[in-house]
Amino acid sequence: MIQNRKGGTTLRRTAALRQWLYVLFLLWLPLGLAASTASQPSVAPEPIIIAHRGASGYAPEHTLSSYRLAARMQADYIEVDVRAAKDGKLVALHDATLARTTNAETVYPRRAPWRVNDFSFAELRRLDAGSWFHPRFAGQRIPTLDEVIQMLKAERVEAPLYIETKQPGIEEAVVHLLKKHGFLQQRRVMFQSFHPESLQALRPLIPHGIRLIQLVGEKEAHSGRDELLQQIAVYADGIGLPLSAVTEEWVRAAHGRGLIVHVYTVNAPHDLERLCAMGVDGVFTDYPDRPARIAACRRLPRH
Ligand code: G3P
Ligand code: CA
């Protein structure tokens, strides 16, 4: 009997103790959760890695070698600067002249200043676009945009293209080519330009969902941010900012207007770390294999 009373008291005590523990648990829960999330670094959404002019830190920019390497390094996008030769052929080339990245001065000594659109494609094709970078790339040619796409398709590369129209007036020809290869229909392309009129010309030519990125130069980036963003938000989906100008304020202001932020050109690991942690949406880099080695840039596993 006593056993019972004593047993009863013990039961009541255990029940009371269980209740107290439960109340304590409920009280602890939010604190516990807050603590656990506070200790984890805030994971910014993963920035896309854009191979700037291909893997141009390891191979001569805008050559098939550079694009192939960028694909092998699993870049999310492969950047191609596009210009037109005198006969309208679309070629992958950054500069308006040929002197820096080809042997044009040797092959055409009397054709200074060697402007790209002063040469037909057949004349451009005679140039060596690799030796300037390193002798082992001797004989690399200036590829056409068509050849770049054909190489990516032939080598089953999934990575989409990030096309920069380097001169206004080539939009229809570029879109026609991308349509011919199905890149437009598959949304396997993003466009960028320093020329607003080029992006405005592209908009009616492309299907919904393909992004247009307005590149901002050093000078513009350091004056009148909000006014500039207001203008850009009318026709573009994002901005391309130079590394020297990007700040949390820029990123917040652009995101506030629904504009994504891509930054060029980010090669130093400490800059990559800083920008990835800052929550930029993409980085152009000559070394597309580097971000994977930086925690802040590392991908969350895709489910
Ligand atoms: O688009 C980013 C970057 O490519 C723009 O500058 O001169 O390298 O074409 P640039
Ligand atoms: Ca470019």
Short mmCIF file of all heavy atoms in Angstrom, two decimals, residues 19-59:
data_model
loop_
_atom_site.label_atom_id
_atom_site.label_comp_id
_atom_site.label_asym_id
_atom_site.label_seq_id
_atom_site.Cartn_x
_atom_site.Cartn_y
_atom_site.Cartn_z
N GLN A 19 6.88 16.89 -17.55
CA GLN A 19 6.24 18.12 -18.04
C GLN A 19 7.25 19.26 -18.04
O GLN A 19 7.39 19.98 -19.01
CB GLN A 19 5.06 18.47 -17.15
CG GLN A 19 3.73 17.90 -17.71
CD GLN A 19 2.61 18.12 -16.69
OE1 GLN A 19 2.89 18.54 -15.56
NE2 GLN A 19 1.39 17.81 -17.06
N TRP A 20 7.99 19.40 -16.95
CA TRP A 20 8.98 20.48 -16.86
C TRP A 20 10.00 20.36 -17.99
O TRP A 20 10.31 21.31 -18.69
CB TRP A 20 9.69 20.42 -15.50
CG TRP A 20 9.04 21.32 -14.50
CD1 TRP A 20 8.41 20.95 -13.37
CD2 TRP A 20 8.91 22.72 -14.59
NE1 TRP A 20 7.89 22.02 -12.74
CE2 TRP A 20 8.18 23.15 -13.47
CE3 TRP A 20 9.34 23.67 -15.55
CZ2 TRP A 20 7.87 24.49 -13.26
CZ3 TRP A 20 9.04 24.98 -15.32
CH2 TRP A 20 8.31 25.38 -14.20
N LEU A 21 10.46 19.15 -18.19
CA LEU A 21 11.45 18.94 -19.27
C LEU A 21 10.87 19.34 -20.60
O LEU A 21 11.50 20.02 -21.40
CB LEU A 21 11.89 17.47 -19.29
CG LEU A 21 12.82 17.05 -18.15
CD1 LEU A 21 13.08 15.55 -18.19
CD2 LEU A 21 14.13 17.83 -18.24
N TYR A 22 9.60 18.97 -20.80
CA TYR A 22 8.94 19.30 -22.07
C TYR A 22 8.85 20.81 -22.23
O TYR A 22 9.20 21.37 -23.27
CB TYR A 22 7.56 18.66 -22.09
CG TYR A 22 6.83 18.84 -23.40
CD1 TYR A 22 7.40 18.38 -24.59
CD2 TYR A 22 5.63 19.53 -23.46
CE1 TYR A 22 6.79 18.59 -25.80
CE2 TYR A 22 4.99 19.74 -24.67
CZ TYR A 22 5.57 19.28 -25.83
OH TYR A 22 4.96 19.52 -27.03
N VAL A 23 8.44 21.50 -21.12
CA VAL A 23 8.34 22.97 -21.19
C VAL A 23 9.71 23.54 -21.49
O VAL A 23 9.87 24.38 -22.38
CB VAL A 23 7.76 23.51 -19.85
CG1 VAL A 23 7.89 25.03 -19.81
CG2 VAL A 23 6.31 23.09 -19.70
N LEU A 24 10.73 23.04 -20.81
CA LEU A 24 12.10 23.55 -21.05
C LEU A 24 12.48 23.35 -22.50
O LEU A 24 13.01 24.24 -23.16
CB LEU A 24 13.08 22.83 -20.12
CG LEU A 24 13.12 23.32 -18.68
CD1 LEU A 24 14.09 22.48 -17.87
CD2 LEU A 24 13.52 24.79 -18.65
N PHE A 25 12.13 22.16 -23.02
CA PHE A 25 12.46 21.86 -24.42
C PHE A 25 11.79 22.87 -25.33
O PHE A 25 12.41 23.44 -26.23
CB PHE A 25 11.99 20.44 -24.77
CG PHE A 25 12.09 20.14 -26.24
CD1 PHE A 25 13.32 19.97 -26.84
CD2 PHE A 25 10.93 20.08 -27.03
CE1 PHE A 25 13.42 19.74 -28.20
CE2 PHE A 25 11.04 19.85 -28.39
CZ PHE A 25 12.28 19.68 -28.98
N LEU A 26 10.50 23.13 -25.05
CA LEU A 26 9.78 24.08 -25.92
C LEU A 26 10.43 25.45 -25.83
O LEU A 26 10.59 26.14 -26.83
CB LEU A 26 8.32 24.15 -25.51
CG LEU A 26 7.48 22.91 -25.87
CD1 LEU A 26 6.05 23.10 -25.41
CD2 LEU A 26 7.54 22.64 -27.39
N LEU A 27 10.87 25.79 -24.62
CA LEU A 27 11.51 27.11 -24.46
C LEU A 27 12.83 27.13 -25.22
O LEU A 27 13.17 28.08 -25.90
CB LEU A 27 11.75 27.38 -22.97
CG LEU A 27 10.50 27.79 -22.16
CD1 LEU A 27 10.87 27.89 -20.68
CD2 LEU A 27 9.96 29.12 -22.67
N TRP A 28 13.59 26.00 -25.16
CA TRP A 28 14.93 25.95 -25.78
C TRP A 28 14.85 25.98 -27.30
O TRP A 28 15.66 26.58 -27.98
CB TRP A 28 15.62 24.66 -25.34
CG TRP A 28 16.90 24.45 -26.09
CD1 TRP A 28 18.10 24.99 -25.85
CD2 TRP A 28 17.02 23.68 -27.30
NE1 TRP A 28 19.00 24.65 -26.82
CE2 TRP A 28 18.37 23.80 -27.73
CE3 TRP A 28 16.15 22.90 -28.06
CZ2 TRP A 28 18.84 23.19 -28.87
CZ3 TRP A 28 16.63 22.31 -29.20
CH2 TRP A 28 17.96 22.44 -29.60
N LEU A 29 13.78 25.33 -27.85
CA LEU A 29 13.73 25.08 -29.30
C LEU A 29 14.12 26.31 -30.12
O LEU A 29 15.09 26.27 -30.88
CB LEU A 29 12.33 24.58 -29.67
CG LEU A 29 12.24 23.84 -31.00
CD1 LEU A 29 13.23 22.68 -31.03
CD2 LEU A 29 10.82 23.34 -31.26
N PRO A 30 13.39 27.46 -30.03
CA PRO A 30 13.73 28.60 -30.90
C PRO A 30 15.17 29.07 -30.66
O PRO A 30 15.90 29.35 -31.61
CB PRO A 30 12.71 29.67 -30.51
CG PRO A 30 12.12 29.23 -29.21
CD PRO A 30 12.26 27.76 -29.14
N LEU A 31 15.58 29.06 -29.39
CA LEU A 31 16.95 29.52 -29.10
C LEU A 31 17.94 28.60 -29.79
O LEU A 31 18.86 29.04 -30.47
CB LEU A 31 17.17 29.55 -27.59
CG LEU A 31 16.23 30.47 -26.80
CD1 LEU A 31 16.39 30.24 -25.31
CD2 LEU A 31 16.51 31.93 -27.17
N GLY A 32 17.66 27.30 -29.64
CA GLY A 32 18.58 26.30 -30.21
C GLY A 32 18.69 26.50 -31.71
O GLY A 32 19.78 26.55 -32.28
N LEU A 33 17.52 26.63 -32.32
CA LEU A 33 17.52 26.77 -33.80
C LEU A 33 18.28 28.01 -34.20
O LEU A 33 19.14 28.00 -35.07
CB LEU A 33 16.07 26.84 -34.30
CG LEU A 33 15.34 25.50 -34.31
CD1 LEU A 33 13.89 25.72 -34.74
CD2 LEU A 33 16.04 24.54 -35.27
N ALA A 34 17.98 29.13 -33.51
CA ALA A 34 18.65 30.40 -33.85
C ALA A 34 20.15 30.21 -33.74
O ALA A 34 20.91 30.56 -34.65
CB ALA A 34 18.17 31.50 -32.89
N ALA A 35 20.58 29.58 -32.67
CA ALA A 35 22.03 29.39 -32.45
C ALA A 35 22.62 28.59 -33.61
O ALA A 35 23.63 28.94 -34.19
CB ALA A 35 22.26 28.67 -31.13
N SER A 36 21.92 27.53 -33.99
CA SER A 36 22.52 26.64 -35.01
C SER A 36 22.62 27.40 -36.33
O SER A 36 23.62 27.33 -37.02
CB SER A 36 21.68 25.38 -35.19
OG SER A 36 20.46 25.79 -35.77
N THR A 37 21.62 28.18 -36.68
CA THR A 37 21.73 28.88 -37.99
C THR A 37 22.74 30.01 -37.88
O THR A 37 23.48 30.28 -38.82
CB THR A 37 20.36 29.45 -38.41
OG1 THR A 37 19.78 30.04 -37.25
CG2 THR A 37 19.47 28.35 -38.95
N ALA A 38 22.82 30.64 -36.70
CA ALA A 38 23.75 31.77 -36.57
C ALA A 38 25.18 31.30 -36.83
O ALA A 38 25.95 31.95 -37.51
CB ALA A 38 23.64 32.37 -35.17
N SER A 39 25.51 30.10 -36.37
CA SER A 39 26.91 29.65 -36.49
C SER A 39 27.25 29.32 -37.95
O SER A 39 28.35 29.39 -38.39
CB SER A 39 27.12 28.39 -35.62
OG SER A 39 26.23 27.41 -36.13
N GLN A 40 26.24 29.03 -38.78
CA GLN A 40 26.57 28.71 -40.18
C GLN A 40 26.69 30.01 -40.97
O GLN A 40 25.84 30.90 -40.85
CB GLN A 40 25.46 27.87 -40.81
CG GLN A 40 25.43 26.42 -40.35
CD GLN A 40 24.08 25.81 -40.68
OE1 GLN A 40 23.24 26.47 -41.28
NE2 GLN A 40 23.88 24.59 -40.27
N PRO A 41 27.76 30.15 -41.80
CA PRO A 41 27.87 31.36 -42.62
C PRO A 41 26.65 31.46 -43.53
O PRO A 41 26.14 30.47 -44.00
CB PRO A 41 29.16 31.12 -43.45
CG PRO A 41 29.33 29.63 -43.49
CD PRO A 41 28.75 29.11 -42.18
N SER A 42 26.15 32.70 -43.74
CA SER A 42 24.94 32.84 -44.60
C SER A 42 25.34 32.42 -46.02
O SER A 42 26.29 32.92 -46.58
CB SER A 42 24.50 34.31 -44.61
OG SER A 42 25.52 35.08 -45.20
N VAL A 43 24.65 31.44 -46.54
CA VAL A 43 25.03 30.87 -47.84
C VAL A 43 24.38 31.71 -48.94
O VAL A 43 23.17 31.65 -49.14
CB VAL A 43 24.55 29.40 -47.94
CG1 VAL A 43 24.93 28.81 -49.30
CG2 VAL A 43 25.17 28.59 -46.81
N ALA A 44 25.19 32.55 -49.61
CA ALA A 44 24.64 33.34 -50.72
C ALA A 44 24.32 32.39 -51.87
O ALA A 44 24.94 31.35 -51.99
CB ALA A 44 25.69 34.37 -51.17
N PRO A 45 23.31 32.77 -52.67
CA PRO A 45 23.01 31.87 -53.80
C PRO A 45 24.27 31.72 -54.66
O PRO A 45 25.07 32.64 -54.75
CB PRO A 45 21.90 32.59 -54.56
CG PRO A 45 21.89 34.00 -54.04
CD PRO A 45 22.52 34.00 -52.67
N GLU A 46 24.42 30.53 -55.29
CA GLU A 46 25.67 30.27 -56.00
C GLU A 46 25.78 31.18 -57.24
O GLU A 46 24.87 31.23 -58.06
CB GLU A 46 25.73 28.82 -56.44
CG GLU A 46 24.55 28.41 -57.29
CD GLU A 46 24.03 27.03 -56.95
OE1 GLU A 46 23.87 26.74 -55.77
OE2 GLU A 46 23.82 26.29 -57.88
N PRO A 47 26.89 31.88 -57.39
CA PRO A 47 27.10 32.70 -58.59
C PRO A 47 27.43 31.80 -59.77
O PRO A 47 28.05 30.75 -59.60
CB PRO A 47 28.31 33.56 -58.22
CG PRO A 47 29.05 32.75 -57.20
CD PRO A 47 28.03 31.93 -56.46
N ILE A 48 26.99 32.19 -60.97
CA ILE A 48 27.40 31.41 -62.13
C ILE A 48 28.84 31.78 -62.47
O ILE A 48 29.27 32.91 -62.27
CB ILE A 48 26.48 31.63 -63.34
CG1 ILE A 48 26.42 33.10 -63.75
CG2 ILE A 48 25.08 31.07 -63.09
CD1 ILE A 48 25.76 33.33 -65.09
N ILE A 49 29.57 30.78 -62.96
CA ILE A 49 30.98 30.98 -63.34
C ILE A 49 31.04 31.11 -64.86
O ILE A 49 30.65 30.18 -65.58
CB ILE A 49 31.84 29.80 -62.87
CG1 ILE A 49 31.61 29.52 -61.37
CG2 ILE A 49 33.31 30.03 -63.21
CD1 ILE A 49 31.88 30.70 -60.45
N ILE A 50 31.48 32.27 -65.32
CA ILE A 50 31.50 32.55 -66.75
C ILE A 50 32.96 32.58 -67.22
O ILE A 50 33.76 33.36 -66.70
CB ILE A 50 30.83 33.91 -67.04
CG1 ILE A 50 29.42 33.96 -66.45
CG2 ILE A 50 30.80 34.19 -68.55
CD1 ILE A 50 29.04 35.34 -65.89
N ALA A 51 33.28 31.70 -68.14
CA ALA A 51 34.66 31.64 -68.66
C ALA A 51 34.91 32.83 -69.58
O ALA A 51 34.40 32.87 -70.71
CB ALA A 51 34.89 30.32 -69.39
N HIS A 52 35.68 33.78 -69.08
CA HIS A 52 35.90 35.06 -69.75
C HIS A 52 36.79 34.87 -70.98
O HIS A 52 37.97 34.52 -70.81
CB HIS A 52 36.55 36.03 -68.77
CG HIS A 52 36.76 37.41 -69.30
ND1 HIS A 52 38.01 37.99 -69.37
CD2 HIS A 52 35.88 38.31 -69.81
CE1 HIS A 52 37.89 39.21 -69.88
NE2 HIS A 52 36.62 39.41 -70.17
N ARG A 53 36.22 35.04 -72.16
CA ARG A 53 36.93 34.80 -73.43
C ARG A 53 37.40 33.35 -73.51
O ARG A 53 38.42 33.03 -74.13
CB ARG A 53 38.11 35.76 -73.60
CG ARG A 53 37.75 37.23 -73.38
CD ARG A 53 38.93 38.16 -73.51
NE ARG A 53 38.60 39.49 -73.03
CZ ARG A 53 39.47 40.50 -72.96
NH1 ARG A 53 40.71 40.34 -73.37
NH2 ARG A 53 39.12 41.68 -72.49
N GLY A 54 36.66 32.44 -72.87
CA GLY A 54 37.07 31.05 -72.71
C GLY A 54 37.94 30.95 -71.47
O GLY A 54 37.91 31.83 -70.62
N ALA A 55 38.74 29.90 -71.39
CA ALA A 55 39.66 29.78 -70.24
C ALA A 55 40.93 30.55 -70.61
O ALA A 55 42.01 29.99 -70.79
CB ALA A 55 39.96 28.32 -69.97
N SER A 56 40.76 31.90 -70.71
CA SER A 56 41.81 32.74 -71.32
C SER A 56 43.02 32.96 -70.43
O SER A 56 43.98 33.60 -70.86
CB SER A 56 41.20 34.07 -71.73
OG SER A 56 40.57 34.69 -70.62
N GLY A 57 42.97 32.40 -69.22
CA GLY A 57 44.17 32.44 -68.39
C GLY A 57 45.14 31.31 -68.74
O GLY A 57 46.32 31.38 -68.43
N TYR A 58 44.61 30.29 -69.43
CA TYR A 58 45.40 29.09 -69.72
C TYR A 58 45.62 28.89 -71.23
O TYR A 58 46.49 28.10 -71.61
CB TYR A 58 44.68 27.85 -69.19
CG TYR A 58 44.40 27.86 -67.70
CD1 TYR A 58 43.11 27.99 -67.22
CD2 TYR A 58 45.44 27.74 -66.78
CE1 TYR A 58 42.84 28.01 -65.86
CE2 TYR A 58 45.19 27.73 -65.41
CZ TYR A 58 43.88 27.88 -64.96
OH TYR A 58 43.62 27.89 -63.60
N ALA A 59 44.80 29.53 -72.06
CA ALA A 59 44.92 29.35 -73.52
C ALA A 59 44.57 30.67 -74.20
O ALA A 59 43.90 31.50 -73.57
CB ALA A 59 43.95 28.25 -73.98
#
